[in-house]
Amino acid sequence: MTDKPTEADLNALDVTDAEAAEINSIAQPLVPDAAPDADDDLVQIDSTTDGVVFVTINRPQKKNAFDAATIAALHEAFETLHGADRVRAVVVRGAGGTFSAGADLNWMRDAAGWSESDNRDDAMGLAKMLKALHDIPALTVAVVEGNAMGGGAGIVAACDMAVAVEGARFAFSEVKLGLIPATIAPYVIEAVGARRARQLFLTGNAFDADYAAHAGLIDLVLPEGSVDEFLSMLSDSLTGNAPGAMGEAKRLVNDIAHHKIDSGLLDETAKRIARARVSDEGREGVAAFLEKRKASWTV
């Protein structure tokens, strides 16, 4: 992992859009220091110079299963990336060849003895972590190796894009335990649709990467050993994109999805493109196109 930014680095982030556009790549994650109670061992954050940040769940000895501490560490990582500068993509992975086995057994055992109120408070931790992931301005990408079960599959659904290596397995098996996949449901339903979600949730059956792609939970099945090649291709495809425009495009989708196409929506979309055209990125991007040169943010 690259060195954490100094106070001078953080102060230097207070720049105009035009100044930011002149910086062609990131040399470090450009995120603030973690909070004092963060556990760096549970979640690792690394970055590349072309604006890709890797968030890795780091409990390989537990198959990256969730407990309260791991959820809190992920939440902190995702929240931190809301304010990261010049980040184009956030890749979520699991250490040790497994994405996530879902809930930690000891955590589940403890929760069984809690009150309904205590369980509600605990569940809000997972709900807030998923929302923090969903709301990251950059493109979020889940890379699934091994298993992604329960809440792990929920993280996959909460990302903008997901790929899985051949042999990966998925399941929403909560009903087999007398439970329901409540906190992950909004993201799974958005990814696969209500009818498919009913089938996956009510059967609780495990399924492979090919079926996950058919269902819409993932976008692509990768051959074994091709993850690095995929990530390199993804990074290369994003280097010409304006980071600010990527965030605005994502907000556009989130804000107008399922919205009635009425006069209010027409007005709002017209305002947004007008704002983009006069922004520093918009002016620079159009000028670069007309002048047949690379935009200043291109790595």
Side-chain angles (χ1 to χ4, degrees), residues 93-294:
R93 304 182 70 175
T98 295
F99 190 79
S100 174
D104 181 277
L105 294 179
N106 289 328
W107 182 45
M108 292 175 62
R109 186 178 295 112
D110 291 343
W114 297 341
S115 68
E116 181 176 344
S117 176
D118 289 339
N119 269 287
R120 183 173 62 249
D121 292 342
D122 180 73
M124 278 300 297
L126 178 57
K128 289 178 178 178
M129 179 268 281
L130 291 168
K131 184 65 162 59
L133 168 60
H134 180 270
D135 290 349
I136 291 174
L139 175 72
T140 53
V141 184
V143 176
V144 180
E145 299 167 277
N147 295 332
M149 304 296 183
I155 281 187
V156 175
C159 287
D160 303 320
M161 179 182 182
V163 300
V165 175
E166 290 175 338
R169 302 281 290 174
F170 303 81
F172 301 101
S173 56
E174 285 83 354
V175 294
K176 295 184 182 296
L177 303 175
L179 304 174
I180 58 175
T183 52
I184 65 175
Y187 311 99
V188 178
I189 293 170
E190 182 179 55
V192 307
R195 184 173 185 267
R196 185 79 66 182
R198 287 194 292 268
Q199 177 250 304
L200 296 175
F201 289 176
L202 273 66
T203 64
N205 292 334
F207 51 97
D208 62 14
D210 287 333
Y211 189 81
H214 172 71
L217 183 62
I218 66 171
D219 301 283
L220 186 66
V221 180
L222 301 178
E224 189 75 34
S226 66
V227 170
D228 289 344
E229 180 183 1
F230 164 77
L231 291 173
S232 178
M233 291 175 60
L234 176 68
S235 177
D236 289 346
S237 73
L238 299 178
T239 56
N241 298 355
M246 290 181 67
E248 288 300 321
K250 184 169 179 175
R251 278 187 283 273
L252 177 67
V253 175
N254 290 340
D255 290 347
I256 72 173
H258 311 301
H259 195 291
K260 181 181 178 181
I261 302 177
D262 54 17
S263 60
L265 184 62
L266 301 185
D267 183 60
E268 177 61 24
T269 55
K271 286 179 179 178
R272 293 196 185 200
I273 184 58
R275 190 181 309 128
R277 287 174 180 171
V278 300
S279 70
D280 292 331
E281 279 190 350
R283 292 184 188 278
E284 164 62 11
V286 172
F289 176 78
L290 294 175
E291 296 166 12
K292 294 181 170 55
R293 60 174 175 81
K294 290 183 178 182

